[in-house]
Amino acid sequence: MRNWQVERRKRTRQLIELGGLVVKAGLLNLTSDRATIFGALLWVAEKLQSDQGERARALWAAKGKYALEND
């Protein structure tokens, strides 16, 4: 298999996994509006780039790890 094919499959898998996380978090049950979900993701990105980014990252990572382990 060519290198670009391997990279494309890795990217496709990553995108599918990220979409699965959106579903797993219940966002589709709360809103199916793509603009709302995208706005929330933009807010998260802004928060991570702020002076509170490291604290938010640690808090969200712990919460996500706990949820994944107890699902």
Side-chain angles (χ1 to χ4, degrees):
M1 192 174 306
R2 295 188 172 143
N3 188 44
W4 66 269
Q5 290 173 313
V6 171
E7 292 302 316
R8 189 173 126 218
R9 285 188 179 180
K10 283 179 12 181
R11 178 168 163 67
T12 299
R13 179 174 175 81
Q14 181 185 34
L15 293 173
I16 291 168
E17 288 174 350
L18 292 172
L21 291 175
V22 169
V23 173
K24 193 174 200 100
L27 291 175
L28 289 182
N29 293 335
L30 298 170
T31 180
S32 60
D33 178 28
R34 293 181 339 162
T36 301
I37 294 170
F38 187 49
L41 293 171
L42 290 172
W43 178 78
V44 168
E46 288 174 8
K47 187 74 163 179
L48 290 172
Q49 292 173 358
S50 75
D51 59 340
Q52 300 172 13
E54 289 304 315
R55 184 172 186 275
R57 182 177 283 109
L59 180 69
W60 294 337
K63 185 175 182 83
K65 183 178 180 182
Y66 178 81
L68 288 170
E69 289 174 351
N70 294 292
D71 187 38

